[in-house]
Amino acid sequence: MPHATDTEYQHIQLRELAPTIGAEITGVDFSKPVEKEVFDEIHRAIVNYGVLVFRHASLDDACHVAFSALFGELDDIKPYLALGRKNRFPFDELFDVSNQEDDGSLIKLGSKRHHTGLGNSIFHVDSSFNPRRAGFSLLRAHSLPPPGHGGNTDFADTRTAFDELPEDLRKDLLENQYIGAHSLMHSRKKAAPKDSQWLKDVDPEKFPFGRHDVIQTHGPSGRQNLYIANHLHHLEYKHPKSKDFVATPEQPFERVPEPQSTELIEKLLAHATQDKYVLSVEWQNEGDLVIWDNTCVMHKAGQGTFMEKYARDMRRCTVHDGSKDAWGYNEKTTVRMGLP
Ligand code: OGA
Ligand code: MN
């Protein structure tokens, strides 16, 4: 897929970070509200590249929220607050993605926050488990571990992964029109130690799933995308296979039987996260900002030796998807998965 080149941008400069994904953007003055012409070019760039890196953007909490709101309606952390979490930040639109507890102390290995947070360290898209999925995420480094202690964020290009699907897999996906059932509890369990006292008794089946087509058109680019993530608990057939399948509110689509369902999920994830589709972004400076489009890339937090030693204070704004696919097959409610 050819990319737009620098010459198509008048207000920003763009440097490609990998052949098919990611660009570093310069020339944006974040010390004042970003003007419409500049924003439009940023928006155009993210349609093509999926991931944009801004070094030294140095937004404060308020400007981070204000800039993010240019991309659409913002999600908030009210469901977490309702469950007793405290917000370290003065805005409910800022998600705490740090290795810190609500009081600012470092998360201890083996603690509940540590185990539940490990879900971020396997490839995922944000909020595919909620009724309305996320569109863009804007992640800012407020404070970082010293260099050499890890903590990159990695991105996987699921549009190019679709383009280059092995023929048998592509045929299977196109013929069967799978729906993916996404679950936050599932990815947390998958990433945490098997015997985690915080997660071992959690049953993903007891929570609602977020349902989305596995193959989708990414509207703004017109490219096909594999909308997959480690949140995928199982697959379902859009059209029932067996004559006796009866849809219920809990099970609106016929499930793909096991182990076929899990095997296919793992095959798709392994295909899409090969090195050739992955861009690793190093956080170099406090104030760096990275924006990605959850509807065409996956991401994961890189682990590192910083965990119990240094704060990696990352703050994220999450923009609700505004596309026609935002709700997938879900009921349009404002209920979101919390962090019990
Ligand atoms: C996120 C996330 C990755 C990171 O903010 O959604 O997954 O590197 N973060 O912190
Ligand atoms: Mn994430």
Side-chain angles (χ1 to χ4, degrees):
M1 181 77 189
H3 275 141
T5 59
D6 274 359
T7 55
E8 292 174 50
Y9 298 93
Q10 327 262 288
H11 301 282
I12 61 175
Q13 292 81 50
L14 182 152
R15 182 171 72 82
E16 295 185 355
L17 295 175
T20 66
I21 181 178
E24 190 169 302
I25 305 293
T26 46
V28 180
D29 180 0
F30 283 106
S31 70
K32 53 185 195 305
V34 172
E35 285 149 0
K36 187 176 180 316
E37 309 83 74
V38 179
F39 175 76
D40 287 348
E41 290 196 355
I42 293 172
H43 196 270
R44 189 143 53 80
I46 201 154
V47 169
N48 285 329
Y49 291 92
V51 180
L52 300 181
V53 178
F54 300 80
R55 299 293 175 194
H56 295 290
S58 299
L59 295 165
D60 62 15
D61 289 337
C63 294
H64 184 177
V65 173
F67 176 58
S68 303
L70 298 177
F71 287 85
E73 206 184 321
L74 298 183
D75 198 356
D76 59 57
I77 60 161
K78 292 197 176 92
Y80 307 169
L81 301 178
L83 290 163
R85 288 265 306 263
K86 300 270 177 298
N87 192 355
R88 288 197 295 130
F89 318 132
F91 296 92
D92 288 350
E93 293 84 1
L94 280 177
F95 287 64
D96 187 349
V97 209
S98 72
N99 60 337
Q100 291 164 271
E101 296 283 357
D102 295 339
D103 65 4
S105 63
L106 293 184
I107 288 174
K108 296 245 178 322
L109 296 183
S111 65
K112 182 173 179 183
R113 274 291 279 278
H114 174 234
H115 281 187
T116 55
L118 284 169
N120 269 357
S121 69
I122 51 179
F123 273 109
H124 64 281
V125 292
D126 289 332
S127 307
S128 57
F129 43 78
N130 278 336
R132 186 178 179 185
R133 69 179 182 177
F136 300 105
S137 291
L138 296 91
L139 185 63
R140 168 173 60 108
H142 178 78
S143 54
L144 287 172
H149 286 275
N152 283 16
T153 305
D154 294 348
F155 296 91
D157 178 358
T158 45
R159 287 181 295 188
T160 304
F162 174 86
D163 294 341
E164 299 178 2
L165 274 171
E167 209 35 57
D168 56 332
L169 211 45
R170 174 195 305 272
K171 196 158 161 274
D172 181 8
L173 294 182
L174 292 173
E175 266 174 27
N176 284 301
Q177 300 187 40
Y178 297 108
I179 293 169
H182 297 252
S183 155
L184 174 62
M185 300 309 159
H186 176 70
S187 54
R188 283 190 176 162
K189 286 182 76 114
K190 197 170 172 180
K194 282 264 162 309
D195 59 351
S196 167
Q197 60 172 306
W198 315 109
L199 290 159
K200 69 173 172 4
D201 297 327
V202 173
D203 180 1
E205 301 272 359
K206 299 221 163 83
F207 298 83
F209 294 109
R211 291 184 166 85
H212 294 274
D213 286 323
V214 168
I215 296 184
Q216 320 198 335
T217 305
H218 176 249
S221 64
R223 295 181 64 189
Q224 295 294 97
N225 181 49
L226 275 177
Y227 189 65
I228 56 174
N230 274 295
H231 300 312
L232 279 174
H233 177 268
H234 65 267
L235 301 173
E236 299 172 345
Y237 298 111
K238 187 160 172 179
H239 306 290
K241 293 269 159 191
S242 80
K243 286 193 202 63
D244 0 291
F245 174 73
V246 182
T248 62
E250 292 73 39
Q251 192 55 64
F253 301 98
E254 185 183 349
R255 286 196 186 195
V256 175
E258 292 294 354
Q260 196 185 321
S261 170
T262 298
E263 282 170 7
L264 184 49
I265 289 169
E266 292 310 320
K267 222 190 235 183
L268 291 171
L269 288 169
H271 168 71
T273 59
Q274 295 174 77
D275 286 351
K276 61 183 170 180
Y277 304 129
V278 173
L279 167 71
S280 189
V281 174
E282 183 191 3
W283 296 90
Q284 295 173 351
N285 328 282
E286 293 172 353
D288 285 354
L289 172 75
V290 177
I291 311 179
W292 65 86
D293 179 350
N294 289 289
T295 69
C296 66
V297 300
M298 286 194 284
H299 65 280
K300 72 173 167 101
Q303 296 301 285
T305 50
F306 65 88
M307 262 312 274
E308 273 189 309
K309 288 200 219 97
Y310 304 104
R312 178 178 184 269
D313 186 344
M314 309 297 288
R315 305 178 183 191
R316 188 187 84 213
C317 281
T318 320
V319 184
H320 285 304
D321 183 16
S323 83
K324 67 173 186 33
D325 298 316
W327 299 88
Y329 296 90
N330 310 319
E331 205 187 317
K332 292 190 177 169
T333 74
T334 55
V335 175
R336 282 151 291 162
M337 297 301 293
L339 294 166

